[in-house]
Amino acid sequence: MRSVLRRRTMLRGGAVSMALPMLQSMSGSTAGAAPGESGKGDVRRMLAICAPLGIHTPYLFPSQSGTDYEVTPYLEPLQPLRDKFTVISGLHHPDVDGGHSAEKSFLTGAAHPGQPNFQNTISVDQFAAEQIGHQTRFASLALSAGRSSLSYTRSGVQIPAQSRPSQLFAKLFLAGTPAEQADQIRRIEDGQSIMDLVRDQTRGVARRVGRQDNQTLDQYLTSVRELEQRLVSAAQWATQPKPVVDRKPPTDITDRADFTGIMGLMFEMIFLAIQTDSTRLITLIGAGGNEVVSLKGVDDGWHNLSHHGRNPEKIEMLAIIEREEMRLFGELLSKLEAVREGEHSLLDQTAILMGSNLGNASSHNNTNLPIIAAGGHFRHGQHLRFESEKSPPLGNLMVSYLQHLGLAVDQFSSGVGTLTGLQPS
């Protein structure tokens, strides 16, 4: 019987260790060969990216739908991978309004985020993390290029985003001291002890309450058991060596005007996290403030330019920034496509959502969102256009992505069923 190498097989010699690359003999095992290993070679991932100041849709959406669409200015940098992405027009989240406030609902679809009594719901990445997060060292990564976070827990609490590449690199790849590792395990064990105590106390309460309360307590205990399982998984990962990468720790870029450097560095960290299978669920909210971006031809603040009011000069400067944004995104796609993982590329294995919560940033409109779907074993190479009165919710695309991850779901947020026209390959 042919032996199968594990993905995290290490070559060791003296004080030096190096992770083996993906080999054909590894195709029978999951890339994360440690706690939670599923034993499958087909490793599915999801990446969601939000451009907080919108994307000028006249330069993004082709005028015709289908596979013979003409190349628009923003799609031009992506053309080397034309058959690996789909540009989608006409989508939105029903009842999600409030201009910039809709950023909170980009991955949740929760209604009316601008209202004072707004309560968010779970984001699609965290929905998936509850079910598959234990398979990797990090259940998910919430990242930011300087703003907030796209990720929310089941109770609607925002998960803080990591915005410093240096800290993210250390988290992913640098081993702590023995004392730090012991402290981490001790904190995990303390959490398990608390869960044991809460579980025992809750069972005591259950004997003294009625049927309806017992149903509520049963739901609570289910959540406790799930948390216990995640703590056990975390304890196992804490004893595993971190992957080794051929890259020096990055230096954070503090100059907000260096948009190219900031986004390029964040995309590099995302690529490394995917390549090493450190996580399978990543969210990123991109750059976008009122800084004057350091690009030739731009001499006004980015936020001011997004409110262009159809001023040709402002649109021209805005297009310089957003085309650079698409170029950097294209570089990430190309890097993922260049790396093989068994019979597929990392891009094939990763369902990517690139878009914005703003359909028209100049008027703070939250309909007809700019959306690009890439990778993920879907049939791409098209402009998928929906008319506003027949437009499915953006949640349908998220259902398609959850199914790509192997989850048996047909509904998420307002989405019921997968997105028509985006078929698995």
Side-chain angles (χ1 to χ4, degrees), residues 31 63 79 113 139 194 242 257 260 264 288 312 375 420-421:
S63 60
Q79 289 310 293
I194 293 171
K242 291 183 178 181
T260 298
T420 302

Side-chain angles (χ1 to χ4, degrees), residues 111-124:
H112 307 303
Q115 296 297 316
N117 60 348
F118 171 70
Q119 176 63 47
N120 214 337
T121 54
I122 192 168
S123 55
V124 66

